[in-house]
Amino acid sequence: MNFDELISEAVTGASAESLTLVSVIKILVPAIVIGFVISLVYLLTHKKAGYSQAFCVSLILLAPIVAIVILLIGNNVARAFSLAGAFALIRFRSAPGDPKDIAFVFMSVVMGLACGMGYWLYAAVATLIILAVIILLHVTNYAGKKGDTYTLKITVPETLNYVGAFDETLEKYTNSYKLMRVKSVDFGALFELSYNVQLKDDKQIREMLDDLRAMNGNLKIMLSTEQEAVRSFHFQ
């Protein structure tokens, strides 16, 4: 098969009626390349926020796996139902992720689907365009907020009237704050206040916590990111 025939097949779609080694290679190679490019862009755009190695590897593997599944199914309805039954037996467990992570997974699956149908050229072009948009949004920090968002938990004694007690201090050190939850702890002897706060300056964390613990009687205070606890301060 010459280059013109290969491009023509990529535009019109591959026939899944005959499964050969050559057809499998022509499907898997573009899918692996596309999956690798998607994973690479994910790495570049999540250096600061952090990422999981397993998730990055999964992005690479998803595209060729879906591609070969589509190639095996073809137009055979019986195969489709058989594979659906097999997938129904599998339980997927994962921690809740960022919506952007879900978008990357969905893109890898869709591009693998396109490669499996033989439309690898369309998949490659669509991948480049979508990833270019993702990089542009990442570089421009589209809809991003100034400063990191944290969860602040303040333990207060039962005798303290906590309503508005910390407003002045939080206004001093944060761009925005919101009381999300009040929880009774230690059989009602203490209360735990949970705030979502957006700090003005990370360098002022120590000063803010010193001011807060001077108001809550030196009880426990914890500051953490929305994803995981990165700083914990316990004052007894």
Side-chain angles (χ1 to χ4, degrees):
M1 179 180 291
N2 56 38
F3 181 75
D4 293 336
E5 291 176 344
L6 185 63
I7 296 298
S8 176
E9 181 178 296
V11 174
T12 59
S15 174
E17 294 179 358
S18 58
L19 184 63
T20 64
L21 181 61
V22 176
S23 65
V24 171
I25 293 176
K26 287 192 298 182
I27 291 298
L28 286 181
V29 172
I32 293 173
V33 172
I34 289 174
F36 177 76
V37 173
I38 293 174
S39 179
L40 183 62
V41 171
Y42 178 84
L43 283 173
L44 294 176
T45 56
H46 286 72
K47 278 186 175 180
K48 184 177 179 180
Y51 53 83
S52 166
Q53 180 184 16
F55 184 78
C56 296
V57 173
S58 298
L59 287 177
I60 300 175
L61 298 179
L62 271 174
I65 290 173
V66 173
I68 199 66
V69 167
I70 297 303
L71 183 63
L72 290 173
I73 291 176
N75 295 324
N76 193 311
V77 178
R79 291 179 186 174
F81 277 106
S82 298
L83 285 172
F87 279 116
L89 298 177
I90 302 175
R91 297 180 63 188
F92 296 95
R93 294 183 179 180
S94 61
D98 191 279
K100 288 189 297 183
D101 296 351
I102 300 174
F104 273 94
V105 170
F106 189 64
M107 181 169 61
S108 184
V109 170
V110 170
M111 297 312 165
L113 174 64
C115 290
M117 297 176 65
Y119 297 105
W120 59 265
L121 184 59
Y122 289 143
V125 173
T127 300
L128 292 177
I129 294 174
I130 295 173
L131 292 181
V133 173
I134 292 175
I135 293 174
L136 178 62
L137 295 176
H138 174 72
V139 171
T140 58
N141 193 28
Y142 176 75
K145 298 179 180 179
K146 293 182 179 179
D148 294 327
T149 301
Y150 295 87
T151 297
L152 175 65
K153 295 183 179 180
I154 306 174
T155 303
V156 298
E158 180 188 15
T159 55
L160 176 66
N161 182 12
Y162 56 80
V163 179
F166 304 100
D167 288 358
E168 184 177 348
T169 302
L170 293 177
E171 287 176 1
K172 178 181 177 182
Y173 294 103
T174 68
N175 291 317
S176 64
Y177 65 92
K178 183 178 181 181
L179 180 61
M180 304 300 295
R181 186 181 66 175
V182 177
K183 184 175 70 172
S184 174
V185 295
D186 285 352
F187 302 101
L190 303 172
F191 288 100
E192 183 183 81
L193 312 180
S194 296
Y195 290 87
N196 275 353
V197 298
Q198 189 181 59
L199 299 181
K200 292 180 179 179
D201 188 356
D202 288 351
K203 296 179 180 179
Q204 294 182 321
I205 288 179
R206 182 70 189 188
E207 289 82 354
M208 181 186 71
L209 293 173
D210 285 341
D211 289 349
L212 290 173
R213 69 190 182 95
M215 302 171 64
N216 80 327
N218 263 353
L219 294 175
K220 184 174 73 172
I221 298 177
M222 185 176 73
L223 183 69
S224 62
T225 63
E226 291 181 331
Q227 299 297 327
E228 60 179 341
V230 293
R231 296 181 178 91
S232 296
F233 298 86
H234 298 273
F235 301 98
Q236 302 296 339

